[in-house]
Amino acid sequence: MESQRTFLLIGLMLVSFLLFQEWNNDYNAPKADPSATTQTLGATTPESDDFIPASSDGEVPAATTAKRSVIDVTTDVFTVKIDTRGGDIIEADLLQYEETKGSDTPYMLLGVFDGKQYFSQSGLIGLNGPDATVEGRPVYKTTQKAFTLNGDELRVPLEFTDSKGVTFTKTYIFKKGDYAVGLEYTVNNVTADPIQVQLYTQVKRTVQDKGSLVDQNYLGAAYGTEEEPYEKYSFSDMADKNLNITTAGGYIAFIQHYFVSAWVPQQDQQNTLYSKLVAGNAAIIGTKGEAVNVQAGTQATLSSTYYMGPKESDVLEAIHPDLDLTVDYGWLWFISQPLFVLLKWLHSILGNWGLAIIAITVIVKTAMYPLTKAQYTSMAKMRALQPKMAALKEKYGDDRQKFGQAMMEMYRKEKVNPMGGCFPLLLQMPIFLALFYVFLESTELRHAEFILWLNDLSAMDPYYVLPVLFGLSMFITQKLQPMTVTDPMQQKMMTFMPVVFSIFFLWFPSGLVLYWLVSNLISIAQMLIIYRGMEKKGIKVRG
């Protein structure tokens, strides 16, 4: 049993290492450097080889040479740049999120990052869509070059009139405190003939290879359909096969640590979800709506919603019932989601994310106390049987079959389950991992302050105080536990494990280390209570 427990701890260490590596890939990934983003138009706008979904006649537009410019939009949560060529969003800074802790630079979600592009694109294709003509994507006109949100809503209209006199008005709708941006296309057909258009929306991003070891803190595309509420579609998936699915409603997204951008088309129509890799090592995932016929002398409006912001479950769910799944808690989402709800509730009461972590640890450890008691009780009983176990070994020598039978008979008479110390630990591991995912994925913990020097729970402890305290708590736990390991190698492994974990946790997010430290301290207190009760009953716990 002790051997199995040792291997469980080693397995836990391995899982922790893999999860940490995933966090490290995201948290320490190269951030956007605004100084590296040139302000010249050519450097901040999509290149002429932008992929446009094929129109119904199969043609793809060529590049236009018309003069273009950039429109600046400022709200309480964004600064946004819109390219008049195509009306694409080519840059978005999140004003309420710092690029790095303590900096005055807002977090750049969309834009150009050291040559890497991340844009939001949309347009009208179909038989008569302006983005489907051989002249190239339309260059829109605006009444002003800068827009600022002063009230609750800001409308940014872009207008284009084609050679036949049809007017296309592309309007972005920004709302106060909202990361969801509305998109409306109004088509005014003043001609004597009907026309047909089709709305497409897509996100374009330079391919980035993370070299992921586990499927958490995912960087890549995702989509949802009527049948599949959430499916990842990685860069490698796109390289293998283009996505091409027709569904009622649906959505597409690009996901990264803490943030997401997503197009949610009209949910009352059939939409085609697609992907493509294009020249320049860029990946695109997008949606195409149904073809819309606009009769002569009439108008029609097509719409969609684009979200670009933090992974906030409630907000995302309000935009689309399944969009909150982009807050990726992995395969333990059904445990992580209620734990996160509890964590947010505790924060609303305590007003500090560090205190909320401590509180949820206390609650979880208290709820799991029956399992903990069963685990330590079983371990103590196993230790009490060690003298009888040694006598059986001496009696039966190398006859392993008779020794095994005698040992099982002894367990039966003493009413001891040799796996009793392992099962509770196995049952606790999903809770442990689910909380890990919550701390790792929750945007609310990004740059969250605790106390004193711990001013960012998503970053490592700068003075390594928490990892050292954790190592000490683990050492104390080992000393209190009734140990039955006799193999010298296992003894050495168990002895050095607190040191290994302490070193390993030096680079862990301090919020996670805080959780494990508090968990260990509670375990020590519970252990002392359990052992004291057992010793009163005459059960020898420690040698």
Side-chain angles (χ1 to χ4, degrees), residues 150-174:
N150 293 316
D152 293 330
E153 181 179 288
L154 171 66
R155 299 178 71 90
V156 180
L158 314 173
E159 187 172 294
F160 172 76
T161 303
D162 68 9
S163 58
K164 296 180 180 179
V166 179
T167 301
F168 302 89
T169 304
K170 182 177 186 177
T171 304
Y172 285 105
I173 306 167
F174 298 87

Short mmCIF file of all heavy atoms in Angstrom, two decimals, residues 150-174:
data_model
loop_
_atom_site.label_atom_id
_atom_site.label_comp_id
_atom_site.label_asym_id
_atom_site.label_seq_id
_atom_site.Cartn_x
_atom_site.Cartn_y
_atom_site.Cartn_z
N ASN A 150 -19.14 58.52 -25.72
CA ASN A 150 -19.46 59.49 -24.68
C ASN A 150 -20.69 59.10 -23.88
O ASN A 150 -20.84 59.52 -22.74
CB ASN A 150 -19.67 60.88 -25.31
CG ASN A 150 -18.38 61.45 -25.89
OD1 ASN A 150 -17.33 61.35 -25.26
ND2 ASN A 150 -18.45 62.00 -27.10
N GLY A 151 -21.57 58.31 -24.48
CA GLY A 151 -22.77 57.87 -23.78
C GLY A 151 -22.75 56.38 -23.55
O GLY A 151 -21.72 55.80 -23.21
N ASP A 152 -23.89 55.75 -23.74
CA ASP A 152 -23.98 54.30 -23.54
C ASP A 152 -23.68 53.51 -24.81
O ASP A 152 -23.37 52.32 -24.74
CB ASP A 152 -25.39 53.93 -23.04
CG ASP A 152 -25.65 54.46 -21.65
OD1 ASP A 152 -24.68 54.57 -20.87
OD2 ASP A 152 -26.83 54.76 -21.34
N GLU A 153 -23.78 54.18 -25.96
CA GLU A 153 -23.58 53.46 -27.22
C GLU A 153 -22.89 54.36 -28.24
O GLU A 153 -23.12 55.57 -28.28
CB GLU A 153 -24.92 52.98 -27.78
CG GLU A 153 -24.82 52.20 -29.08
CD GLU A 153 -26.17 51.71 -29.58
OE1 GLU A 153 -26.71 50.77 -28.95
OE2 GLU A 153 -26.69 52.27 -30.58
N LEU A 154 -22.03 53.73 -29.03
CA LEU A 154 -21.32 54.44 -30.09
C LEU A 154 -21.46 53.63 -31.38
O LEU A 154 -21.12 52.45 -31.42
CB LEU A 154 -19.84 54.60 -29.74
CG LEU A 154 -18.93 55.14 -30.86
CD1 LEU A 154 -19.30 56.58 -31.22
CD2 LEU A 154 -17.46 55.04 -30.45
N ARG A 155 -21.96 54.30 -32.44
CA ARG A 155 -22.08 53.67 -33.74
C ARG A 155 -21.03 54.26 -34.68
O ARG A 155 -20.93 55.48 -34.81
CB ARG A 155 -23.48 53.86 -34.32
CG ARG A 155 -24.59 53.24 -33.45
CD ARG A 155 -25.97 53.50 -34.04
NE ARG A 155 -26.19 52.72 -35.25
CZ ARG A 155 -26.71 51.50 -35.26
NH1 ARG A 155 -27.05 50.90 -34.11
NH2 ARG A 155 -26.90 50.87 -36.40
N VAL A 156 -20.27 53.36 -35.31
CA VAL A 156 -19.21 53.78 -36.24
C VAL A 156 -19.59 53.29 -37.63
O VAL A 156 -19.39 52.11 -37.97
CB VAL A 156 -17.85 53.20 -35.82
CG1 VAL A 156 -16.76 53.64 -36.80
CG2 VAL A 156 -17.49 53.63 -34.40
N PRO A 157 -20.18 54.18 -38.47
CA PRO A 157 -20.63 53.75 -39.80
C PRO A 157 -19.54 53.92 -40.86
O PRO A 157 -18.81 54.91 -40.90
CB PRO A 157 -21.79 54.70 -40.07
CG PRO A 157 -21.44 55.95 -39.33
CD PRO A 157 -20.62 55.55 -38.13
N LEU A 158 -19.42 52.91 -41.73
CA LEU A 158 -18.52 52.94 -42.86
C LEU A 158 -19.37 52.73 -44.12
O LEU A 158 -20.20 51.82 -44.15
CB LEU A 158 -17.47 51.83 -42.77
CG LEU A 158 -16.77 51.63 -41.41
CD1 LEU A 158 -15.90 50.38 -41.45
CD2 LEU A 158 -15.94 52.83 -41.05
N GLU A 159 -19.15 53.55 -45.14
CA GLU A 159 -20.05 53.49 -46.29
C GLU A 159 -19.27 53.26 -47.58
O GLU A 159 -18.19 53.82 -47.80
CB GLU A 159 -20.85 54.80 -46.39
CG GLU A 159 -21.93 54.76 -47.46
CD GLU A 159 -22.83 55.98 -47.41
OE1 GLU A 159 -23.57 56.15 -46.41
OE2 GLU A 159 -22.77 56.79 -48.38
N PHE A 160 -19.87 52.42 -48.45
CA PHE A 160 -19.28 52.13 -49.76
C PHE A 160 -20.40 52.02 -50.77
O PHE A 160 -21.43 51.38 -50.51
CB PHE A 160 -18.49 50.82 -49.71
CG PHE A 160 -18.01 50.35 -51.06
CD1 PHE A 160 -16.91 50.96 -51.67
CD2 PHE A 160 -18.67 49.33 -51.73
CE1 PHE A 160 -16.46 50.53 -52.92
CE2 PHE A 160 -18.24 48.90 -52.98
CZ PHE A 160 -17.14 49.50 -53.57
N THR A 161 -20.21 52.66 -51.94
CA THR A 161 -21.18 52.57 -53.03
C THR A 161 -20.50 51.93 -54.23
O THR A 161 -19.44 52.40 -54.68
CB THR A 161 -21.72 53.95 -53.41
OG1 THR A 161 -22.30 54.56 -52.25
CG2 THR A 161 -22.76 53.85 -54.50
N ASP A 162 -21.10 50.85 -54.74
CA ASP A 162 -20.47 50.16 -55.86
C ASP A 162 -20.79 50.85 -57.18
O ASP A 162 -21.50 51.88 -57.24
CB ASP A 162 -20.86 48.69 -55.88
CG ASP A 162 -22.33 48.45 -56.21
OD1 ASP A 162 -23.03 49.42 -56.60
OD2 ASP A 162 -22.79 47.30 -56.07
N SER A 163 -20.29 50.29 -58.25
CA SER A 163 -20.41 50.90 -59.57
C SER A 163 -21.85 50.96 -60.07
O SER A 163 -22.18 51.75 -60.96
CB SER A 163 -19.56 50.13 -60.58
OG SER A 163 -19.96 48.76 -60.62
N LYS A 164 -22.73 50.13 -59.49
CA LYS A 164 -24.13 50.12 -59.90
C LYS A 164 -24.99 51.06 -59.05
O LYS A 164 -26.19 51.19 -59.29
CB LYS A 164 -24.69 48.70 -59.81
CG LYS A 164 -24.02 47.72 -60.77
CD LYS A 164 -24.63 46.34 -60.64
CE LYS A 164 -23.96 45.36 -61.59
NZ LYS A 164 -24.54 43.98 -61.46
N GLY A 165 -24.37 51.66 -58.02
CA GLY A 165 -25.11 52.58 -57.18
C GLY A 165 -25.66 51.97 -55.91
O GLY A 165 -26.33 52.65 -55.12
N VAL A 166 -25.38 50.67 -55.67
CA VAL A 166 -25.83 50.03 -54.44
C VAL A 166 -24.96 50.52 -53.29
O VAL A 166 -23.71 50.50 -53.38
CB VAL A 166 -25.76 48.50 -54.55
CG1 VAL A 166 -26.22 47.86 -53.25
CG2 VAL A 166 -26.61 48.01 -55.71
N THR A 167 -25.60 50.93 -52.20
CA THR A 167 -24.86 51.45 -51.04
C THR A 167 -24.81 50.38 -49.94
O THR A 167 -25.84 49.81 -49.57
CB THR A 167 -25.53 52.71 -50.49
OG1 THR A 167 -25.57 53.71 -51.51
CG2 THR A 167 -24.77 53.24 -49.28
N PHE A 168 -23.59 50.16 -49.44
CA PHE A 168 -23.36 49.21 -48.36
C PHE A 168 -22.85 49.99 -47.15
O PHE A 168 -21.80 50.64 -47.23
CB PHE A 168 -22.33 48.16 -48.77
CG PHE A 168 -22.71 47.37 -50.00
CD1 PHE A 168 -22.35 47.83 -51.26
CD2 PHE A 168 -23.42 46.20 -49.89
CE1 PHE A 168 -22.69 47.12 -52.40
CE2 PHE A 168 -23.77 45.47 -51.02
CZ PHE A 168 -23.41 45.93 -52.28
N THR A 169 -23.58 49.93 -46.07
CA THR A 169 -23.17 50.63 -44.84
C THR A 169 -22.80 49.59 -43.79
O THR A 169 -23.65 48.81 -43.34
CB THR A 169 -24.28 51.54 -44.31
OG1 THR A 169 -24.67 52.46 -45.33
CG2 THR A 169 -23.80 52.30 -43.08
N LYS A 170 -21.54 49.58 -43.44
CA LYS A 170 -21.02 48.65 -42.43
C LYS A 170 -20.87 49.42 -41.12
O LYS A 170 -20.06 50.35 -41.04
CB LYS A 170 -19.67 48.08 -42.87
CG LYS A 170 -19.06 47.06 -41.92
CD LYS A 170 -17.76 46.50 -42.51
CE LYS A 170 -17.20 45.38 -41.65
NZ LYS A 170 -15.97 44.77 -42.24
N THR A 171 -21.63 49.03 -40.11
CA THR A 171 -21.65 49.78 -38.86
C THR A 171 -21.20 48.90 -37.70
O THR A 171 -21.76 47.81 -37.48
CB THR A 171 -23.07 50.31 -38.57
OG1 THR A 171 -23.52 51.10 -39.68
CG2 THR A 171 -23.07 51.16 -37.31
N TYR A 172 -20.19 49.38 -36.97
CA TYR A 172 -19.78 48.74 -35.72
C TYR A 172 -20.50 49.44 -34.57
O TYR A 172 -20.57 50.67 -34.53
CB TYR A 172 -18.27 48.84 -35.52
CG TYR A 172 -17.47 47.91 -36.38
CD1 TYR A 172 -16.77 48.40 -37.49
CD2 TYR A 172 -17.40 46.56 -36.09
CE1 TYR A 172 -16.01 47.55 -38.29
CE2 TYR A 172 -16.64 45.70 -36.89
CZ TYR A 172 -15.95 46.20 -37.98
OH TYR A 172 -15.22 45.35 -38.77
N ILE A 173 -21.00 48.64 -33.63
CA ILE A 173 -21.76 49.19 -32.50
C ILE A 173 -21.03 48.85 -31.21
O ILE A 173 -20.93 47.68 -30.82
CB ILE A 173 -23.19 48.63 -32.47
CG1 ILE A 173 -23.89 48.87 -33.82
CG2 ILE A 173 -23.99 49.25 -31.33
CD1 ILE A 173 -25.16 48.09 -33.98
N PHE A 174 -20.49 49.87 -30.56
CA PHE A 174 -19.79 49.71 -29.29
C PHE A 174 -20.69 50.19 -28.16
O PHE A 174 -21.37 51.22 -28.28
CB PHE A 174 -18.50 50.54 -29.29
CG PHE A 174 -17.50 50.12 -30.34
CD1 PHE A 174 -17.56 50.66 -31.63
CD2 PHE A 174 -16.51 49.21 -30.05
CE1 PHE A 174 -16.65 50.29 -32.61
CE2 PHE A 174 -15.59 48.83 -31.02
CZ PHE A 174 -15.66 49.37 -32.30
#
